[in-house]
Amino acid sequence: MLYRLTFISGLAVGYVLGARAGRERYEQLRKTAQRVAQNPAVRNAAESAAQNGRSAASKAAGTVSSKVGHRLPDSVADRVRSLRDQRGAREDDWGTSNT
Protein backbone atom coordinates (compact mmCIF):
# COMPACT_ATOMS: atom_id res chain seq x y z
CA MET A 1 0.00 0.00 0.00
CA LEU A 2 2.83 2.38 0.84
CA TYR A 3 4.41 1.63 -2.56
CA ARG A 4 1.19 2.58 -4.37
CA LEU A 5 0.81 5.78 -2.38
CA THR A 6 4.41 6.76 -3.13
CA PHE A 7 3.98 5.98 -6.82
CA ILE A 8 0.73 7.97 -7.10
CA SER A 9 2.27 10.95 -5.25
CA GLY A 10 5.28 10.91 -7.57
CA LEU A 11 3.00 10.71 -10.57
CA ALA A 12 0.98 13.70 -9.33
CA VAL A 13 4.09 15.79 -8.62
CA GLY A 14 5.51 14.93 -12.05
CA TYR A 15 2.27 15.91 -13.73
CA VAL A 16 2.09 19.25 -11.94
CA LEU A 17 5.71 20.11 -12.69
CA GLY A 18 5.33 19.00 -16.29
CA ALA A 19 2.20 21.08 -16.74
CA ARG A 20 3.99 24.13 -15.36
CA ALA A 21 6.78 23.76 -17.92
CA GLY A 22 4.11 23.95 -20.57
CA ARG A 23 4.04 23.87 -24.29
CA GLU A 24 6.79 26.46 -24.76
CA ARG A 25 9.39 24.33 -23.04
CA TYR A 26 8.26 21.32 -25.06
CA GLU A 27 8.67 23.25 -28.31
CA GLN A 28 12.08 24.51 -27.19
CA LEU A 29 13.25 20.96 -26.43
CA ARG A 30 11.84 19.67 -29.73
CA LYS A 31 13.64 22.35 -31.76
CA THR A 32 16.90 21.66 -29.94
CA ALA A 33 16.55 17.94 -30.63
CA GLN A 34 15.90 18.63 -34.32
CA ARG A 35 18.99 20.86 -34.56
CA VAL A 36 21.14 18.16 -32.96
CA ALA A 37 19.70 15.46 -35.23
CA GLN A 38 20.36 17.55 -38.33
CA ASN A 39 23.95 18.31 -37.35
CA PRO A 40 26.29 16.69 -39.93
CA ALA A 41 28.71 15.52 -37.23
CA VAL A 42 25.91 13.74 -35.36
CA ARG A 43 24.59 12.18 -38.57
CA ASN A 44 28.07 10.93 -39.50
CA ALA A 45 28.60 9.51 -36.03
CA ALA A 46 25.24 7.72 -36.18
CA GLU A 47 26.03 6.31 -39.62
CA SER A 48 29.45 5.13 -38.47
CA ALA A 49 27.95 3.50 -35.38
CA ALA A 50 25.35 1.74 -37.53
CA GLN A 51 28.03 0.39 -39.88
CA ASN A 52 30.19 -0.79 -36.98
CA GLY A 53 27.15 -2.45 -35.41
CA ARG A 54 26.31 -4.29 -38.62
CA SER A 55 29.91 -5.42 -38.95
CA ALA A 56 30.05 -6.67 -35.35
CA ALA A 57 26.71 -8.45 -35.72
CA SER A 58 27.89 -10.13 -38.89
CA LYS A 59 31.08 -11.34 -37.20
CA ALA A 60 29.13 -12.55 -34.17
CA ALA A 61 26.68 -14.41 -36.37
CA GLY A 62 29.54 -16.13 -38.17
CA THR A 63 31.19 -17.12 -34.89
CA VAL A 64 27.99 -18.47 -33.36
CA SER A 65 27.12 -20.29 -36.57
CA SER A 66 30.51 -21.96 -36.70
CA LYS A 67 30.32 -23.05 -33.05
CA VAL A 68 26.72 -24.25 -32.79
CA GLY A 69 25.58 -24.46 -36.40
CA HIS A 70 25.99 -28.23 -36.53
CA ARG A 71 23.60 -28.59 -33.56
CA LEU A 72 20.73 -26.80 -35.27
CA PRO A 73 17.90 -28.80 -36.81
CA ASP A 74 18.11 -29.02 -40.59
CA SER A 75 14.97 -26.93 -41.06
CA VAL A 76 16.44 -24.04 -39.04
CA ALA A 77 19.81 -24.28 -40.77
CA ASP A 78 18.11 -24.21 -44.18
CA ARG A 79 16.08 -21.16 -43.20
CA VAL A 80 19.14 -19.30 -41.91
CA ARG A 81 21.02 -20.16 -45.09
CA SER A 82 18.19 -18.87 -47.31
CA LEU A 83 17.91 -15.64 -45.31
CA ARG A 84 21.66 -15.12 -45.55
CA ASP A 85 21.54 -15.65 -49.32
CA GLN A 86 18.67 -13.17 -49.71
CA ARG A 87 20.41 -10.54 -47.60
CA GLY A 88 23.67 -10.89 -49.50
CA ALA A 89 21.95 -10.19 -52.80
CA ARG A 90 21.05 -6.63 -51.89
CA GLU A 91 22.71 -4.10 -49.64
CA ASP A 92 20.64 -2.53 -46.89
CA ASP A 93 20.52 1.24 -46.39
CA TRP A 94 20.36 1.41 -42.61
CA GLY A 95 22.30 4.31 -41.21
CA THR A 96 22.98 5.93 -44.55
CA SER A 97 21.93 9.50 -45.09
CA ASN A 98 20.03 10.66 -48.12
CA THR A 99 21.36 14.19 -47.93
Side-chain angles (χ1 to χ4, degrees):
M1 183 67 180
L2 182 62
Y3 174 74
R4 285 185 185 176
L5 183 60
T6 305
F7 178 74
I8 291 171
S9 333
L11 190 64
V13 169
Y15 177 78
V16 170
L17 292 177
R20 283 191 180 172
R23 183 74 177 178
E24 293 143 8
R25 180 67 177 150
Y26 168 77
E27 290 296 329
Q28 182 184 17
L29 291 171
R30 188 180 63 79
K31 287 178 184 178
T32 301
Q34 280 182 335
R35 275 198 312 262
V36 168
Q38 293 173 355
N39 185 340
V42 173
R43 292 176 69 98
N44 288 340
E47 185 174 334
S48 175
Q51 288 175 351
N52 289 340
R54 282 193 302 272
S55 174
S58 179
K59 288 178 185 177
T63 302
V64 169
S65 177
S66 68
K67 290 186 177 185
V68 297
H70 63 282
R71 297 183 197 157
L72 294 175
D74 290 337
S75 61
V76 174
D78 292 341
R79 181 67 178 147
V80 169
R81 195 173 306 111
S82 70
L83 289 173
R84 189 175 292 152
D85 292 342
Q86 288 175 3
R87 188 187 63 190
R90 57 188 159 89
E91 186 67 27
D92 66 49
D93 61 350
W94 287 27
T96 58
S97 63
N98 294 330
T99 58

